[in-house]
Amino acid sequence: MNQISEPSYRALFDGLSTALWELDFSTAAEMLRELRESGGVDFDDYLNQNPAFVQAVMAATEVVSVNDISIGLFKCTSKAELLGNFERFWPEESSAVYRASIAAILAGEANFSAETGLRRLDGSTFDAEITMCVPSTMSQTSVIFIAIADLTKRNQAIEALAENGALYRTFFNVSPASFWQLDVSDVSVLFDEVRAKGYRELSAYIDEDPGFISRTMDATKVVNLNDKAIAMFGGRNRADFVGQSIRRFWGSAGEAAYRKSVQAAFDGKASYQAETRARKLDGNEIDVLFCMAVPPDGQVSGVIFVAHIDISAQVSARSALAQMQAELAHAARLSTLGELTASLAHEVNQPLTAIVTNGEAGLLALDRHSDPALLRRILERVIVDGRRAADIISRIRRMAVKKAPEMVWQSVNATVAETELFLRQELQANAITTILNLAPHIPDVCIDRIQIQQVIANLIVNAAQATRDARKGRPTIIISTYMCDANTAIVTIEDNGPGIPSGELNQIFESFFTTKETGMGMGLPICRAILDAHGGRIVAENRPEGGARFVISLAIS
C-alpha cells in the first residue's frame, strides 16, 4: 500500500461503526497449503475428524491491528490488549463456525459470513456476525480482514418477539374469554368498492344498500379460535368453526351491533365493543360483550381479532334488579297515592258533584218543558264533567298500575305539567303556591313517563312537606325546566322551606335514611335508582336564599 493511500485507509479502518480486525494468517496459510498439496483429501470430512488441526490453525492466527470500536465491543481499555492470539476470542461452542470458515478458505472462497458467539476479554460472550475476506489465491493468503458486528440487541429483540409470540399463543388458548381470529380481506375489497363509488360515510351507503351488511358477514371467515370459544359456542373442535362465515354466530338481535362494528372498521378505528347476542352452533343464543380489535397492520393483513365475554348471568341479574326496582317503585307510587287520598277524593268529587247537579237541572228542565237548547247545554256540561272525572281517574290509575318500564320519547314539559296537575289539589288544599317555569323548545327525551313522573311527584310532595316550616312568606314551590347543554335537559324542584342540614346532604339518597318520624327512607333512593336506569342523575343542594333545590338531569340522546 503506497504512502498516499495509507492515511485514507487508516481513516476508513478506524472510522467504521463495525469492529474491523487485520489478522496475520501467514503461518496458518502454510498449514492449509500443505493440506491441499497432500492430495485426495475431503476437506470437510478431514476438518470434522481432526479438531486438533482446526485448533492449531486458530492458534497460528494472530491479530495485528484493530479499529477503535473494537475496544468497547470487547470491553478493554486499549487496542493493544486485543493484539496477539486469535484463539482466545473463540469459545468452545463456536468452534464449528471457525471450522466452516477454514473449509471456505480451503475451497478458495473470497469471503465467509456466519453468526456465532465470541468471547470478550472479561470472559463474557456475545452474539456476533463475522465476515472474513481472504485473498483469491492460497499464495497470497497471509493477511485476512474480518468484520465483527454485534448482534446482541437484534437477537434479544428476536427472542423477545418469540417470547411475546409464545405468551400471545398461551394467552389466546387459555384465556377465559372467547377469542376469534377472523379473515376480513374480502371485506376490505368491499370497502374499497364503496370508497370507489365516492362514499366516505358507510352508514349512508348501507341505507341505500341494506344487503351490504349481509355480504360483509358472508365475507368474514373464521381463521382460528381458542378453546374457550369452542366450548362457549358448543363446538367439539376447531374444525366446527374454521373456514365458516361468521353469519351463523350472530344472534337475531345482533345486527345493530354488527353494523356499528363494520362502520368502525370502515372508519379505521382500532377497536369497538358493545353488548349483543351471539348464536351457538345449536341455535341457542347467549348475551355477550362483543369486542373487536384491529391490529396496526390489520388493514393490510386482513386479520382482526374478536372476543366474546359471556354476560348472560349479569344480564339476568340486571333484569332481576330492574324487576325489583320496578316493584319498589310501584310500592312507592301506592304509598304516595295513599298520602294523597283525601285530595284525590276531593278532586274526583268535584266533577261528580257537577254531574249530579247538572243531571238534576236537566230533570227539572224536562218537567218544565224547557226548550231543547237549554237541555243541550246541560247535557254538554254533564259530558265535560264526566270526561274530567275520567281523566282524573285515568291519572290515578296510571300512577297505581303495575307494569314493566316502557321507554318512549316524551315531552319533558308535558311530563312535568301533568305531574303538577295531578298534585295541584293537594298543594292548593295546603295553601302552597306552585310556580311553573317551563322553557320552550326542549327536545323530547326517551323515558318511562310514569317512572319520571313518580320522581317528580315524590320531590314535589317532599317540598310541600318542607314548606310547612317556611319561615317567611307564603309556602312556595318552583318547578323549572331548561337545557343545560345540547345533550342534557334539566328539571328543578325548589322550595322555600328550611333547607337540608349540611351534614345530611350526602346521606339523603342512602337507603333507609330519613328525617321524617314516619318515613322509611326509600323515596329518594328509589328516585335515584329510577334516574340511574334512565342514564340520568339527581343532585340535592341548598338555595342561597333559603330552601332546598333538587336538580334532575335527563340525557337527550
Side-chain angles (χ1 to χ4, degrees), residues 6 22 39 48 59 111 121 155 178 235 275 278 292 318 336 367 390 475 482 492 495 503:
E6 179 69 18
E22 182 181 349
N48 287 329
N111 54 66
L121 292 185
N155 288 348
S178 160
E275 289 188 15
M292 177 190 74
R318 284 207 303 261
T336 300
D367 291 340
Y482 61 91
T492 63
D495 64 65

PDB file of all heavy atoms in Angstrom, residues 6 22 39 48 59 111 121 155 178 235 275 278 292 318 336 367 390 475 482 492 495 503:
ATOM      1  N   GLU A   6      -2.282   5.307   2.327  1.00  0.00           N
ATOM      2  CA  GLU A   6      -2.237   4.816   3.710  1.00  0.00           C
ATOM      3  C   GLU A   6      -3.083   5.642   4.676  1.00  0.00           C
ATOM      4  O   GLU A   6      -3.878   5.086   5.448  1.00  0.00           O
ATOM      5  CB  GLU A   6      -0.784   4.776   4.178  1.00  0.00           C
ATOM      6  CG  GLU A   6      -0.598   4.291   5.624  1.00  0.00           C
ATOM      7  CD  GLU A   6      -0.929   2.809   5.775  1.00  0.00           C
ATOM      8  OE1 GLU A   6      -0.956   2.098   4.758  1.00  0.00           O
ATOM      9  OE2 GLU A   6      -1.188   2.394   6.919  1.00  0.00           O
ATOM     10  N   GLU A  22      -7.444  -6.903  11.463  1.00  0.00           N
ATOM     11  CA  GLU A  22      -6.475  -7.412  10.469  1.00  0.00           C
ATOM     12  C   GLU A  22      -5.718  -8.571  11.123  1.00  0.00           C
ATOM     13  O   GLU A  22      -5.170  -8.429  12.218  1.00  0.00           O
ATOM     14  CB  GLU A  22      -5.505  -6.312  10.059  1.00  0.00           C
ATOM     15  CG  GLU A  22      -4.502  -6.744   9.008  1.00  0.00           C
ATOM     16  CD  GLU A  22      -3.538  -5.625   8.648  1.00  0.00           C
ATOM     17  OE1 GLU A  22      -3.774  -4.456   9.057  1.00  0.00           O
ATOM     18  OE2 GLU A  22      -2.527  -5.929   7.975  1.00  0.00           O
ATOM     19  N   GLY A  39      -3.147 -33.912  -1.373  1.00  0.00           N
ATOM     20  CA  GLY A  39      -3.994 -34.544  -2.380  1.00  0.00           C
ATOM     21  C   GLY A  39      -4.960 -35.575  -1.825  1.00  0.00           C
ATOM     22  O   GLY A  39      -4.711 -36.218  -0.808  1.00  0.00           O
ATOM     23  N   ASN A  48     -13.652 -32.179  10.177  1.00  0.00           N
ATOM     24  CA  ASN A  48     -14.556 -32.725  11.190  1.00  0.00           C
ATOM     25  C   ASN A  48     -13.871 -33.820  12.011  1.00  0.00           C
ATOM     26  O   ASN A  48     -14.129 -33.951  13.210  1.00  0.00           O
ATOM     27  CB  ASN A  48     -15.824 -33.294  10.532  1.00  0.00           C
ATOM     28  CG  ASN A  48     -16.748 -32.192  10.025  1.00  0.00           C
ATOM     29  OD1 ASN A  48     -16.797 -31.103  10.602  1.00  0.00           O
ATOM     30  ND2 ASN A  48     -17.482 -32.461   8.957  1.00  0.00           N
ATOM     31  N   ALA A  59      -4.721 -21.288  16.536  1.00  0.00           N
ATOM     32  CA  ALA A  59      -3.630 -20.817  17.395  1.00  0.00           C
ATOM     33  C   ALA A  59      -2.539 -20.137  16.586  1.00  0.00           C
ATOM     34  O   ALA A  59      -1.816 -19.265  17.095  1.00  0.00           O
ATOM     35  CB  ALA A  59      -3.060 -22.007  18.180  1.00  0.00           C
ATOM     36  N   ASN A 111     -14.833 -14.805   0.558  1.00  0.00           N
ATOM     37  CA  ASN A 111     -15.330 -14.312   1.842  1.00  0.00           C
ATOM     38  C   ASN A 111     -16.211 -15.369   2.503  1.00  0.00           C
ATOM     39  O   ASN A 111     -16.670 -16.319   1.862  1.00  0.00           O
ATOM     40  CB  ASN A 111     -16.098 -12.991   1.688  1.00  0.00           C
ATOM     41  CG  ASN A 111     -17.217 -13.103   0.663  1.00  0.00           C
ATOM     42  OD1 ASN A 111     -18.174 -13.830   0.868  1.00  0.00           O
ATOM     43  ND2 ASN A 111     -17.073 -12.396  -0.459  1.00  0.00           N
ATOM     44  N   LEU A 121     -12.728 -10.052  26.500  1.00  0.00           N
ATOM     45  CA  LEU A 121     -11.572 -10.234  27.369  1.00  0.00           C
ATOM     46  C   LEU A 121     -11.974 -10.517  28.816  1.00  0.00           C
ATOM     47  O   LEU A 121     -11.202 -11.126  29.568  1.00  0.00           O
ATOM     48  CB  LEU A 121     -10.666  -8.999  27.316  1.00  0.00           C
ATOM     49  CG  LEU A 121      -9.943  -8.752  25.981  1.00  0.00           C
ATOM     50  CD1 LEU A 121      -8.999  -7.577  26.117  1.00  0.00           C
ATOM     51  CD2 LEU A 121      -9.181  -9.996  25.524  1.00  0.00           C
ATOM     52  N   ASN A 155     -30.679  -9.974  18.467  1.00  0.00           N
ATOM     53  CA  ASN A 155     -31.096 -11.300  18.922  1.00  0.00           C
ATOM     54  C   ASN A 155     -31.994 -11.221  20.156  1.00  0.00           C
ATOM     55  O   ASN A 155     -32.912 -12.017  20.318  1.00  0.00           O
ATOM     56  CB  ASN A 155     -29.879 -12.178  19.214  1.00  0.00           C
ATOM     57  CG  ASN A 155     -29.173 -12.597  17.933  1.00  0.00           C
ATOM     58  OD1 ASN A 155     -29.702 -12.422  16.840  1.00  0.00           O
ATOM     59  ND2 ASN A 155     -27.972 -13.157  18.058  1.00  0.00           N
ATOM     60  N   SER A 178     -63.641 -15.766  25.134  1.00  0.00           N
ATOM     61  CA  SER A 178     -63.696 -16.386  23.807  1.00  0.00           C
ATOM     62  C   SER A 178     -62.946 -15.492  22.823  1.00  0.00           C
ATOM     63  O   SER A 178     -63.323 -14.341  22.607  1.00  0.00           O
ATOM     64  CB  SER A 178     -65.163 -16.540  23.385  1.00  0.00           C
ATOM     65  OG  SER A 178     -65.277 -16.686  21.992  1.00  0.00           O
ATOM     66  N   GLY A 235     -69.078 -26.173  20.333  1.00  0.00           N
ATOM     67  CA  GLY A 235     -68.404 -26.979  19.325  1.00  0.00           C
ATOM     68  C   GLY A 235     -67.621 -28.124  19.939  1.00  0.00           C
ATOM     69  O   GLY A 235     -67.421 -28.194  21.160  1.00  0.00           O
ATOM     70  N   GLU A 275     -72.631  -4.581  23.886  1.00  0.00           N
ATOM     71  CA  GLU A 275     -73.378  -5.739  24.371  1.00  0.00           C
ATOM     72  C   GLU A 275     -74.338  -6.186  23.275  1.00  0.00           C
ATOM     73  O   GLU A 275     -75.019  -5.360  22.667  1.00  0.00           O
ATOM     74  CB  GLU A 275     -74.158  -5.396  25.640  1.00  0.00           C
ATOM     75  CG  GLU A 275     -73.273  -5.191  26.858  1.00  0.00           C
ATOM     76  CD  GLU A 275     -74.076  -5.046  28.148  1.00  0.00           C
ATOM     77  OE1 GLU A 275     -75.286  -5.387  28.128  1.00  0.00           O
ATOM     78  OE2 GLU A 275     -73.512  -4.603  29.154  1.00  0.00           O
ATOM     79  N   ALA A 278     -75.191 -13.532  20.811  1.00  0.00           N
ATOM     80  CA  ALA A 278     -74.488 -14.412  19.881  1.00  0.00           C
ATOM     81  C   ALA A 278     -75.227 -15.748  19.804  1.00  0.00           C
ATOM     82  O   ALA A 278     -75.907 -16.151  20.747  1.00  0.00           O
ATOM     83  CB  ALA A 278     -73.049 -14.625  20.333  1.00  0.00           C
ATOM     84  N   MET A 292     -64.105  -5.991  19.369  1.00  0.00           N
ATOM     85  CA  MET A 292     -63.353  -6.143  18.126  1.00  0.00           C
ATOM     86  C   MET A 292     -62.078  -5.322  18.209  1.00  0.00           C
ATOM     87  O   MET A 292     -62.099  -4.174  18.655  1.00  0.00           O
ATOM     88  CB  MET A 292     -64.188  -5.662  16.938  1.00  0.00           C
ATOM     89  CG  MET A 292     -63.466  -5.722  15.586  1.00  0.00           C
ATOM     90  SD  MET A 292     -64.392  -4.875  14.281  1.00  0.00           S
ATOM     91  CE  MET A 292     -64.103  -3.151  14.713  1.00  0.00           C
ATOM     92  N   ARG A 318     -79.224  -8.128  36.062  1.00  0.00           N
ATOM     93  CA  ARG A 318     -79.745  -6.779  35.810  1.00  0.00           C
ATOM     94  C   ARG A 318     -81.262  -6.800  35.649  1.00  0.00           C
ATOM     95  O   ARG A 318     -81.957  -5.912  36.130  1.00  0.00           O
ATOM     96  CB  ARG A 318     -79.086  -6.187  34.563  1.00  0.00           C
ATOM     97  CG  ARG A 318     -77.673  -5.702  34.780  1.00  0.00           C
ATOM     98  CD  ARG A 318     -77.306  -4.586  33.801  1.00  0.00           C
ATOM     99  NE  ARG A 318     -77.474  -4.993  32.433  1.00  0.00           N
ATOM    100  CZ  ARG A 318     -76.501  -5.392  31.645  1.00  0.00           C
ATOM    101  NH1 ARG A 318     -75.273  -5.479  32.125  1.00  0.00           N
ATOM    102  NH2 ARG A 318     -76.718  -5.724  30.386  1.00  0.00           N
ATOM    103  N   THR A 336     -97.491   7.013  47.825  1.00  0.00           N
ATOM    104  CA  THR A 336     -97.781   8.417  47.513  1.00  0.00           C
ATOM    105  C   THR A 336     -99.273   8.638  47.333  1.00  0.00           C
ATOM    106  O   THR A 336     -99.853   9.617  47.825  1.00  0.00           O
ATOM    107  CB  THR A 336     -97.034   8.842  46.243  1.00  0.00           C
ATOM    108  OG1 THR A 336     -95.627   8.674  46.444  1.00  0.00           O
ATOM    109  CG2 THR A 336     -97.313  10.298  45.904  1.00  0.00           C
ATOM    110  N   ASP A 367    -139.263  18.628  33.314  1.00  0.00           N
ATOM    111  CA  ASP A 367    -140.578  18.799  33.942  1.00  0.00           C
ATOM    112  C   ASP A 367    -141.241  20.090  33.499  1.00  0.00           C
ATOM    113  O   ASP A 367    -142.469  20.188  33.408  1.00  0.00           O
ATOM    114  CB  ASP A 367    -140.440  18.785  35.467  1.00  0.00           C
ATOM    115  CG  ASP A 367    -140.065  17.396  35.991  1.00  0.00           C
ATOM    116  OD1 ASP A 367    -140.292  16.410  35.253  1.00  0.00           O
ATOM    117  OD2 ASP A 367    -139.516  17.300  37.118  1.00  0.00           O
ATOM    118  N   ALA A 390    -113.206  11.209  34.360  1.00  0.00           N
ATOM    119  CA  ALA A 390    -112.498  10.078  33.743  1.00  0.00           C
ATOM    120  C   ALA A 390    -111.009  10.364  33.636  1.00  0.00           C
ATOM    121  O   ALA A 390    -110.172   9.468  33.858  1.00  0.00           O
ATOM    122  CB  ALA A 390    -113.095   9.785  32.368  1.00  0.00           C
ATOM    123  N   PRO A 475     -95.794  29.593  51.573  1.00  0.00           N
ATOM    124  CA  PRO A 475     -95.088  28.397  51.099  1.00  0.00           C
ATOM    125  C   PRO A 475     -95.135  28.319  49.580  1.00  0.00           C
ATOM    126  O   PRO A 475     -96.210  28.429  48.981  1.00  0.00           O
ATOM    127  CB  PRO A 475     -95.863  27.251  51.751  1.00  0.00           C
ATOM    128  CG  PRO A 475     -96.498  27.868  52.966  1.00  0.00           C
ATOM    129  CD  PRO A 475     -96.840  29.275  52.566  1.00  0.00           C
ATOM    130  N   TYR A 482     -85.138  23.479  31.786  1.00  0.00           N
ATOM    131  CA  TYR A 482     -84.260  24.222  30.880  1.00  0.00           C
ATOM    132  C   TYR A 482     -83.224  23.258  30.320  1.00  0.00           C
ATOM    133  O   TYR A 482     -83.110  22.107  30.760  1.00  0.00           O
ATOM    134  CB  TYR A 482     -83.580  25.403  31.591  1.00  0.00           C
ATOM    135  CG  TYR A 482     -82.698  25.028  32.766  1.00  0.00           C
ATOM    136  CD1 TYR A 482     -81.338  24.771  32.586  1.00  0.00           C
ATOM    137  CD2 TYR A 482     -83.226  24.947  34.049  1.00  0.00           C
ATOM    138  CE1 TYR A 482     -80.520  24.438  33.666  1.00  0.00           C
ATOM    139  CE2 TYR A 482     -82.421  24.613  35.135  1.00  0.00           C
ATOM    140  CZ  TYR A 482     -81.071  24.361  34.928  1.00  0.00           C
ATOM    141  OH  TYR A 482     -80.260  24.022  35.988  1.00  0.00           O
ATOM    142  N   THR A 492     -85.822  21.158  37.722  1.00  0.00           N
ATOM    143  CA  THR A 492     -85.501  21.508  39.109  1.00  0.00           C
ATOM    144  C   THR A 492     -86.787  21.693  39.906  1.00  0.00           C
ATOM    145  O   THR A 492     -87.782  22.208  39.394  1.00  0.00           O
ATOM    146  CB  THR A 492     -84.665  22.800  39.201  1.00  0.00           C
ATOM    147  OG1 THR A 492     -85.430  23.896  38.684  1.00  0.00           O
ATOM    148  CG2 THR A 492     -83.379  22.667  38.409  1.00  0.00           C
ATOM    149  N   ASP A 495     -87.937  24.799  46.824  1.00  0.00           N
ATOM    150  CA  ASP A 495     -88.914  25.234  47.821  1.00  0.00           C
ATOM    151  C   ASP A 495     -88.293  26.299  48.707  1.00  0.00           C
ATOM    152  O   ASP A 495     -87.078  26.520  48.671  1.00  0.00           O
ATOM    153  CB  ASP A 495     -89.403  24.050  48.658  1.00  0.00           C
ATOM    154  CG  ASP A 495     -88.301  23.407  49.486  1.00  0.00           C
ATOM    155  OD1 ASP A 495     -87.773  24.084  50.391  1.00  0.00           O
ATOM    156  OD2 ASP A 495     -87.957  22.226  49.240  1.00  0.00           O
ATOM    157  N   GLY A 503     -74.959  18.531  57.048  1.00  0.00           N
ATOM    158  CA  GLY A 503     -74.430  17.216  57.358  1.00  0.00           C
ATOM    159  C   GLY A 503     -75.214  16.080  56.737  1.00  0.00           C
ATOM    160  O   GLY A 503     -74.766  14.921  56.753  1.00  0.00           O
TER     161      GLY A 503
END
